[in-house]
Amino acid sequence: MRNVAWIGGLAFKDHMPEFGWRPLHVPLRPGVPLCWEEIRAAAGEEPEALVYVDRSAALPMVGVESFPCPTCFFCIDSHIHAWYPAWAQAFDACAVSLKDHIPAFASRLAPDRLVWLPPFAKDTDRPPESPPEPEWDLLFVGTVDPETTPGRVRFLDELGRLFPGLAVMRGDYRGLFPKAKLVLNVAERGDLNYRVPEALACGACLLTPAIANGQEELFRDGEHLFTYPQGDAAAVAALARRLLAEPERRARVAAAGRAEVEAHHRMRHRARTMATLLDSLAAAGDASRRLARAEEIRATHLRRILLHWAEASENPEARGRYLAAARGLPCPPPTPGLF
């Protein structure tokens, strides 16, 4: 079994051994980008591949274009970070969560090195063995903050006036979703978010916006879930009223949605896709071709990003590493005793 340095989010890490890859977890350094020497030391052995799972943070590694093994970036928040497509060119492949964003990553990476890896349900996302009695007609679970989610606040306020049966809560969605007749998802940025497979895996009858990014390829309206026009509170209220009068239809669609997740959208399914991609990278020698073009990649795609983070960082060690990487200089030595 080959090993893979696993950096950033855990995602489906624990399922990788099922497909021939043993993950070596490497923790990020808060506020300071990792160098290859630190990654190798933290892994405890020479990595045969490397995967970085998006943590929606500052540039987490420097010198990626010169890493000696096959590399892959699992990009989740491309709807938030405009610099991701350029940074992805330092890797041998990129798995992108939002399908419509894939063309933006195609500057250097070939089509077969850009893979759609849509949201998935966690292993713990399951309905309770004994479903509780419903407490709410329509439930939204998530952050509602005027500063960070103003559009969501306005939408839910309007919906609450139109549909008094709306409940808005925070907490463990696994314990809350089974207590609702209908579950509401909001995607104000138009992103296919993880709440879709999570809710379906928990057995919810889900109402979610009709958006792009491949949602209609994964789940069909009226069969696995129900969709409403983005931002249309009146449409949600009308749909909820209709469905509350059709309990058998709600149950049928919820069961079909859960079955679809079990068949295609669990952690193990995404691990299989990632393992297949790593197998291909290892067999085709992509890392050698990238290494031969490392200086060009740095100059064309990375220097501007590195200089931005050098200016934005308040950490002197991080600034030094970003500047060194932008100039093509060796990374400053790892901090003694870090790992």
Side-chain angles (χ1 to χ4, degrees):
M1 183 178 294
R2 290 169 290 185
N3 72 55
V4 52
W6 198 272
I7 306 173
L10 299 181
F12 40 79
K13 172 181 74 71
D14 292 342
H15 286 273
M16 292 300 291
E18 300 172 32
F19 306 101
W21 289 91
R22 175 171 55 90
L24 308 171
H25 182 240
V26 176
L28 290 172
R29 288 190 64 191
V32 179
L34 292 172
C35 298
W36 173 253
E37 292 78 9
E38 292 172 327
I39 293 170
R40 183 172 54 189
E45 56 189 281
E46 191 76 15
E48 297 175 84
L50 178 145
V51 170
Y52 172 69
V53 179
D54 190 358
R55 288 295 302 272
S56 203
L59 191 72
M61 298 179 291
V62 291
V64 178
E65 71 279 9
S66 298
F67 286 1
C69 65
T71 57
C72 181
F73 174 23
F74 178 18
C75 174
I76 299 170
D77 288 335
S78 54
H79 60 301
I80 298 175
H81 303 290
W83 54 275
Y84 276 3
W87 188 53
Q89 307 310 308
F91 292 78
D92 297 312
C94 186
V96 182
S97 181
L98 298 178
K99 186 176 184 182
D100 292 357
H101 291 195
I102 289 177
F105 290 78
S107 177
R108 185 187 74 85
L109 297 173
D112 64 342
R113 294 305 184 238
L114 292 171
V115 175
W116 184 30
L117 208 64
F120 52 87
K122 303 177 185 67
D123 293 342
T124 51
D125 293 338
R126 300 186 183 280
E129 293 185 7
S130 300
E133 286 296 318
E135 296 182 24
W136 307 291
D137 288 339
L138 178 62
L139 172 67
F140 174 81
V141 179
T143 301
V144 182
D145 187 307
E147 293 188 4
T148 59
T149 60
R152 183 180 300 178
V153 170
R154 290 191 296 270
F155 174 73
L156 292 174
D157 283 348
E158 181 183 1
L159 180 57
R161 291 191 294 271
L162 296 171
F163 189 85
L166 172 67
V168 177
M169 306 191 72
R170 295 189 66 174
D172 182 3
Y173 62 83
R174 298 175 189 87
L176 295 171
F177 285 166
K179 298 179 181 180
K181 296 177 182 177
L182 297 167
V183 167
L184 175 68
N185 181 42
V186 179
E188 60 265 47
R189 292 178 179 266
D191 56 308
L192 174 56
N193 57 40
Y194 275 72
R195 190 48 52 93
V196 173
E198 289 168 350
L200 296 178
C202 291
C205 182
L206 180 66
L207 279 57
T208 195
I211 57 171
N213 284 305
Q215 176 173 278
E216 71 285 351
E217 298 178 45
L218 305 180
F219 306 108
R220 289 183 290 277
D221 180 30
E223 182 178 348
H224 304 118
L225 43 67
F226 295 96
T227 64
Y228 62 88
Q230 175 79 294
D232 191 336
V236 175
L239 177 59
R241 291 191 187 95
R242 289 198 303 272
L243 292 174
L244 287 175
E246 301 180 82
E248 292 183 358
R249 187 183 183 198
R250 294 200 313 267
R252 182 175 66 252
V253 170
R258 185 186 173 206
E260 191 69 10
V261 168
E262 293 297 332
H264 302 292
H265 306 298
R266 284 283 183 187
M267 285 180 160
R268 64 182 180 277
H269 301 115
R270 303 299 181 259
R272 180 189 295 117
T273 301
M274 179 61 74
T276 300
L277 180 57
L278 294 179
D279 290 342
S280 177
L281 293 176
D286 288 55
S288 297
R289 290 190 291 275
R290 167 178 46 79
L291 288 168
R293 299 180 58 192
E295 185 174 346
E296 173 194 344
I297 293 169
R298 182 168 54 252
T300 304
H301 303 288
L302 306 180
R303 185 166 291 144
R304 186 175 299 178
I305 300 170
L306 290 162
L307 291 175
H308 162 76
W309 284 110
E311 182 178 3
S313 177
E314 298 180 357
N315 185 304
E317 184 179 4
R319 286 200 298 270
R321 291 190 172 200
Y322 291 134
L323 286 172
R327 295 166 180 161
L329 300 175
C331 183
T335 301
L338 176 63
F339 296 108

